[in-house]
Amino acid sequence: MRTRRSRGLRLVVLTMMLLAMVCTAFAAGDPTEETGTRMIECSDCGAAGVVLSEDLEAVTCEACGGAGYVQSSSNFYNTPMSLLPPVIAIALALITKEVYSSLFIGILVGGLLYSNFTFEGTVLHAFNDGIVASLSDGYNVGILVFLVILGVMVCLMNKAGGSAAFGRWAKKNIKSRVGAQLATILLGVLIFIDDYFNCLTVGSVMRPITDKQNVSRAKLAYLIDATAAPICIIAPISSWAAAVAGFAEDGQGLTLFIRAIPYNFYALLTIIMMIGMVLLGVEFGPMSKHELNALDKGDLFSGSNPYAMLDDEIDESKGSVLDLVLPIIVLVAACVIGMIYSGGFFSGESFVDAFSNSDASVGLMLGSAFGLLFAFIYYFVRKSMTFKEMMGCIPEGFKAMVPAILILTFAWSLKGMTDSLGAKYFVRDFVRSVSGIQMFLPVIVFVVGCFLAFATGTSWGTFGILIPIVQNVFEMSNPMAIICISACMAGAVCGDHCSPISDTTIMASAGAQCDHVNHVSTQLPYAISCAAIAGVTYLIAGILVTAGAPGIISLPIGVVLMLGFLFFAKSHKRTVA
């Protein structure tokens, strides 16, 4: 009886506490929405204003006094200095060609700014709130598990001879460098579900083909990266569409996403640029050196191969094309099922709603796990390798993905530093300050999105900051609103495409098994060129809409500008056959 009374009392107290939390939260408002805010959610009460005492009573939080928010302890919160850590990390990575040390220094700079240059505070924030927090986040861990499983599957397919067999088949059926690159683009377009999955799957399938045709690994990494986020951001059924739908207000996210597709100039022009460069055989910047080394000398890497351990002791005489294709098909199907499962499809949700509400981390992790299980069973039945050899692929696959895992962990930690310094509020206030210049707003939003995604390495975080701002500035019936929302998404993808700390860029390097710094340095001139043309197109769109003309007219103008740029580059640079 006492136990039941005690449970009942606790239930009543907890109910009262929840009501108090809700009432306090509504009464207090959200001071973080104010311009120039230095307020953050109270860590003691979780922004509710109340805490639970030892006797299970709801009491006012001493830290915030019931407001639910406290002032940041950092003197650099919501200032331009909040973007300094990623800027330093990116600059060092491009200058020194050492990505691990550069990212770690960026994390330490974030810790210094957050702690106001105290030693103890810097160390605790960099490690506890940075590296440890990123590795203990459930979403991040799911992505790391997915990455490791993909590494194991690549090792299995190599050891079974599937990759070599696919390479032999491709040598007979794909007889040119152009054909190999177009096949890579086509596969990247077909796998539009998720950018992580796109990068690793396309890389696993196409490496044997592009290697046979002497396509450099840097060019393969670019083709993979350019068909990952730019394709996902214009595919209504993708994890990116689900992310945008979640960030938009009033439950109209998916509708806004579809309406914004024709105005996503960066993504559309990237596809045109990629295909045009392949067909015209033109390269420029550092990529031309990599491509000429691959074509003239057979040097696919133009430097070291960080994934060389995967090429050891592989018998290229065994295996069949089915040993590569069937596990990949099962993997794709399992990941799709995993994503709609995480969105509640098997609990009664429709396919579209399930995909919109899906958790990419959970879906890809579960799907890849079942794909790996199928691969084990399939290769065991086929007698492609012994059970001991299959188990040996687990640590080998893990080791092969260590470079990507390290870079991802540091990149996530660096993002945690910018979040703790209020970088998103600084960018938000800047965008709001220029909202009166409507004619130039699309290009301004695009540039801000590029810079923010480049500095933080996250597209989705950029969506979350900019899309609600645009929705607050414009009525959705205003044609300028859709163009600006498209500019948010295009800028986020562009910055993500350029940034060496972007998880998609890291995944593309891993998928192509290319040195990460080589991938970034060769891709950057292409991405910047496309961004410049997209920026001009957004400027034209803003002028047209302000003048009362349809903004969609700017798209063919942008296409003409892109084609003109490609022909200009072809006429002034050495072409690669």
Side-chain angles (χ1 to χ4, degrees), residues 425-441:
Y425 298 121
F426 171 72
V427 173
R428 179 200 64 188
D429 294 345
F430 173 78
V431 173
R432 285 177 175 172
S433 68
V434 299
S435 61
I437 317 173
Q438 291 202 6
M439 180 187 299
F440 303 105
L441 196 56

Side-chain angles (χ1 to χ4, degrees), residues 245-266:
F247 291 132
E249 297 176 353
D250 303 326
Q252 54 184 336
L254 194 58
T255 302
L256 289 176
F257 183 91
I258 295 172
R259 291 174 61 193
I261 290 174
Y263 300 99
N264 200 318
F265 299 138
Y266 180 79

Side-chain angles (χ1 to χ4, degrees), residues 238-405:
S238 69
S239 58
W240 287 56
V244 173
F247 291 132
E249 297 176 353
D250 303 326
Q252 54 184 336
L254 194 58
T255 302
L256 289 176
F257 183 91
I258 295 172
R259 291 174 61 193
I261 290 174
Y263 300 99
N264 200 318
F265 299 138
Y266 180 79
L268 297 172
L269 293 176
T270 293
I271 297 169
I272 293 171
M273 179 179 183
M274 176 175 50
I275 296 174
M277 292 181 67
V278 170
L279 293 176
L280 294 174
V282 61
E283 310 289 350
F284 58 91
M287 185 71 81
S288 58
K289 175 184 176 182
H290 281 255
E291 280 288 85
L292 291 173
N293 282 343
L295 185 62
D296 298 339
K297 305 175 185 177
D299 180 6
L300 302 178
F301 300 95
S302 295
S304 62
N305 176 14
Y307 298 90
M309 71 282 291
L310 283 184
D311 297 329
D312 296 339
E313 301 177 2
I314 297 176
D315 184 3
E316 295 195 359
S317 63
K318 66 177 184 178
S320 66
V321 173
L322 199 64
D323 290 335
L324 176 76
V325 174
L326 188 58
I328 290 292
I329 292 175
V330 172
L331 180 66
V332 171
C335 285
V336 171
I337 294 171
M339 291 189 71
I340 62 175
Y341 165 79
S342 68
F345 178 75
F346 298 102
S347 300
E349 295 287 342
S350 67
F351 182 86
V352 174
D353 290 341
F355 218 102
S356 298
N357 298 324
S358 65
D359 186 324
S361 175
V362 172
L364 293 177
M365 177 181 64
L366 295 178
S368 61
F370 280 101
L372 179 62
L373 178 62
F374 171 83
F376 279 138
I377 296 173
Y378 173 74
Y379 291 133
F380 184 77
V381 172
R382 283 263 299 159
K383 298 182 179 179
S384 301
M385 62 186 88
T386 64
F387 181 77
K388 184 177 181 180
E389 288 175 330
M390 287 192 290
M391 293 299 102
C393 288
I394 296 177
E396 286 188 36
F398 182 88
K399 286 189 293 184
M401 289 300 171
V402 165
I405 291 172

Side-chain angles (χ1 to χ4, degrees), residues 17 19 85 96 173 187 226 258 329 344 403 418 429 452 474 486 513 541 547:
M17 182 197 69
L19 289 173
T96 66
N173 294 275
L187 184 60
I258 295 172
I329 292 175
T418 59
D429 294 345
L452 181 59
F474 295 105
S486 294
Q513 293 187 3

